[in-house]
Amino acid sequence: MTRLRHTIATRALDRREVESLLPTLHEIAESMLVQQADAIPEEEIRRCAERGELALPRRLRQGERFTAPLDDTARLTTSVWAWDRRAQSALKLELASERPDLEAAEGTAEVSFRSAEHPGRLEVSARGALNRWTVFGRRMVWGEGSARLDWPRWWEALTTGADGPAPVTAQAAFTLARATVAITPSRGEPGEWLLEISVTVTGRGIWRPLVGTALWLARGAVRRRFAEQLEEAARELRDEDFGRFPRTPEELLALYLESVLRETAETAETAETAEDAEDAEDAEDQEPGEPGEEGGAHRAAVGEVFLGKDGEANAAGPDRATDRP
């Protein structure tokens, strides 16, 4: 068994500001999930964002389940176990890779928190596992883990420093080893938190002696690397411009809606670019005009100018109806 421990300094957060954002975060998450479930048109999402509203025509229902593709090879299925910001919200996420090779994987994650509207009893927990296919066509647990945040306990540790369990804990297990993480905060300089991070690593099963020996032999390098990684992360956090992050629910909502408008504009621009490229390719395929006349591509452009995009046919030919709205 190897135990690593290091303390880093980070900027302190204001409890009231953080807790005031939680209900709005819950509403934003619900809006995103409803959009995914109902496939709300981009135009409707844009109109809502322009009015300063979330695209939320209804509420999530317990037991609801829907699947959405992430890319050409993977899909994500979301199951709603509970959704009540006054009590508890919980989701199950299932990721499936459709790749035909042996690297295809299946992952599951369960996330729950209680509750967004009552931060005084806020607890956030998550657990998940990743399965991979073996050469024998069987699934093997490649990794699994869990994490938990006890928000009231976090502030108790900051204010009283009382002994007790760490407010943030996590466990991860892999084929060869198991790791346990604990994070406990304390007050440092004004506007600063000190986070004590402890990691315990042990081998699993028949690999326990081998992992223990390897970690013992490399203990100096492992401890240095552990401390370097944490200090680098702390520097990035200290250098981050937190002034641009929202401090009120109104600022948070405005920031999210701004990102929605930007995304829908980029989507529309991409679609228009693709349509223009397709039209240009079609125009290049047109046969040139009679000698002394301009080519069919130029006639099509002129026809669009004079007939307008709503014309019944463009000048590229009598049987070529415009396909633009």
Side-chain angles (χ1 to χ4, degrees):
M1 180 178 70
T2 298
R3 180 170 294 151
L4 308 172
R5 182 173 296 172
H6 189 70
T7 300
I8 61 174
T10 65
R11 293 188 183 186
L13 301 178
D14 184 274
R15 179 176 186 175
R16 287 172 298 182
E17 289 181 355
V18 174
E19 292 181 351
S20 70
L21 299 177
L22 295 178
T24 303
L25 283 171
H26 192 275
E27 291 289 305
I28 290 174
E30 183 170 19
S31 176
M32 295 171 65
L33 290 170
V34 168
Q35 290 174 30
Q36 182 181 0
D38 292 352
I40 301 175
E42 290 283 341
E43 183 65 21
E44 177 62 24
I45 296 174
R46 183 186 62 79
R47 282 196 295 265
C48 288
E50 289 175 344
R51 294 195 302 265
E53 302 171 355
L54 294 172
L56 191 60
R58 64 172 180 84
R59 296 294 177 177
L60 282 178
R61 296 183 289 266
Q62 183 177 358
E64 194 165 9
R65 179 183 174 91
F66 48 91
T67 301
L70 296 180
D71 53 36
D72 293 337
T73 63
R75 65 184 186 275
L76 178 67
T77 300
T78 304
S79 301
V80 181
W81 285 355
W83 198 262
D84 186 346
R85 74 180 195 178
R86 295 168 298 179
Q88 180 183 16
S89 296
L91 300 172
K92 181 178 181 180
L93 309 175
E94 299 171 88
L95 175 65
S97 171
E98 300 174 347
R99 292 173 54 182
D101 55 33
L102 296 175
E103 301 208 353
E106 296 178 356
T108 61
E110 301 167 9
V111 183
S112 65
F113 54 97
R114 61 174 90 195
S115 67
E117 201 166 273
H118 301 285
R121 66 180 188 219
L122 177 66
E123 295 180 10
V124 181
S125 60
R127 62 179 180 177
L130 179 64
N131 300 320
R132 301 188 69 173
W133 294 96
T134 68
V135 293
F136 304 105
R138 299 177 60 185
R139 288 190 303 177
M140 175 185 69
V141 178
W142 183 79
E144 55 186 344
S146 62
R148 180 175 179 270
L149 164 65
D150 185 335
W151 187 244
R153 172 64 191 144
W154 178 276
W155 290 99
E156 181 185 352
L158 283 170
T159 55
T160 67
D163 294 335
V168 178
T169 56
Q171 296 82 33
F174 300 93
T175 304
L176 303 181
R178 182 189 306 275
T180 301
V181 181
I183 303 177
T184 302
S186 61
R187 293 193 181 276
E189 298 294 330
E192 183 180 79
W193 286 346
L194 299 178
L195 305 183
E196 182 186 79
I197 303 174
S198 172
V199 179
T200 303
V201 183
T202 58
R204 296 185 67 188
I206 61 174
W207 303 105
R208 187 165 186 164
L210 178 61
V211 171
T213 301
L215 290 173
W216 183 83
L217 292 175
R219 62 189 182 279
V222 171
R223 293 181 191 280
R224 285 193 300 273
R225 184 61 175 166
F226 176 71
E228 290 171 359
Q229 290 288 328
L230 290 180
E231 288 296 340
E232 182 179 351
R235 276 194 302 273
E236 292 179 356
L237 284 174
R238 287 194 294 268
D239 294 341
E240 187 66 52
D241 181 17
F242 285 97
R244 62 188 176 88
F245 287 98
R247 291 178 173 272
T248 66
E250 294 76 19
E251 291 178 358
L252 175 61
L253 181 60
L255 182 64
Y256 171 71
L257 295 176
E258 179 185 344
S259 70
V260 169
L261 289 173
R262 184 169 58 250
E263 182 178 350
T264 54
E266 291 173 353
T267 301
E269 183 179 354
T270 301
E272 184 176 353
T273 302
E275 184 179 358
D276 290 344
E278 183 179 351
D279 289 346
E281 184 178 348
D282 290 342
E284 290 176 359
D285 292 339
Q286 297 296 322
E287 295 182 2
E290 295 295 328
E293 295 181 1
E294 295 176 281
H298 178 71
R299 291 201 308 273
V302 173
E304 184 174 293
V305 169
F306 286 96
L307 294 177
K309 293 184 178 180
D310 295 327
E312 295 182 357
N314 62 32
D319 58 346
R320 180 174 171 79
T322 179
D323 57 356
R324 293 182 180 231

